[in-house]
Amino acid sequence: MLNSFQKEKNKNHNQITAENVLNGKVHGIKSILPFLGPAFIAAVAYIDPGNFATNITAGSQYGYLLLWVIAFSNLMRESEFKDQHMTVFGYGLSAETMYEVNAIELASEELEIALESGLRNNDPGLFIPMYLLKAQIYIKNNNFSSAHLLLTNAMELVQEKHWIHILQTMNAKCFILEGNLLQAEKDLATSKSKQPFWHLVNARLLMAKSQTNDALNMILPVKAKALQEGQISTIIEAFILESICEKALGNVEASFVAIHEALKYGLANNYIRSFLDEKDCLPILKEYLKMRQTTDSINENKVPLSYVNYLLESSDSSDHRFESLTSREMEILTLLSKGATNKEIANQLYLSEGTVRVYLTNIYSKLGVNSRSKAMLLLK
């Protein structure tokens, strides 16, 4: 594990790298690597839409916009890059950074400019990352139908299989989150690849099917490779998913260790949305916080509790009653909100109608309502 001195040294190295780019001391493709967000790494190197999210701290604090990224994006808009494809990187990098620090409205504005530029230049390496980010924003807002439509339309714009596979994998992730495991399985079967993104989405499918050990066995090699290659976003996602799996298996201590590691990398790289977008991560963060406030058994490389508190306070849940729902209960509630009958919910989730009725009773109880219509009102 890194000690505080090594962490500070690495932090300073990242800042110097960014500063050297801005001062013109680094040129070519290397000049944009320190600034690349997860989707752009997929576009530039076809690694996956979950690697090397912005790694510039520059004094930023949880949610404070990463000024080096904004400065770099402005540099590309106003300099010799202005009329070149590089322009879109300025807006795209800014959009990804703003999303990660939870400035969603600003991210959406920059995203649209980047997307339009990419489409105008007919370069999928520029517009596919923005489609992925836009789909993620739709998913964040539980607008799954719009995410599916967006990704399907994007597939019609490209012919190369690797782009189609990335979009299909993102579509599968969307299906998993809305509870349509059968369709997710089909999409993953047709988009199978060796990329970490595909493996982690497939792990999510296994988790949703309660095949937790199999999911964990898929996550751990991805994490090991990401650690070796320094793929920050993949590292954080893998640790979070590992923590969720360990909790599901009843391994509380292992779950805390994994979430602690995710928080260390998240803190060093100013991550917010990567935690907030994982609903099952929030209960673990609450338990981790409670553990740290009482026993504090994790002594080395402490994560400031202010960071954990900030993540919890930044949660999208305006109505904390929804936080008590399990992932399966949220899946059922999502399908319910779309007008699905008990039979349709049972078929999609491979459950009996009796089991669905039991779930609905528990959901109503947690939400403090006594009917389907009242539960729907809370979702509006």
Side-chain angles (χ1 to χ4, degrees), residues 87-98:
T87 303
V88 76
F89 280 97
Y91 290 104
L93 293 174
S94 178
E96 288 200 317
T97 301
M98 289 175 180

Side-chain angles (χ1 to χ4, degrees), residues 78 110 117 154 247 255 259:
E78 300 170 3
E110 298 284 275
S117 298
K247 181 184 177 183
S255 177
I259 201 64

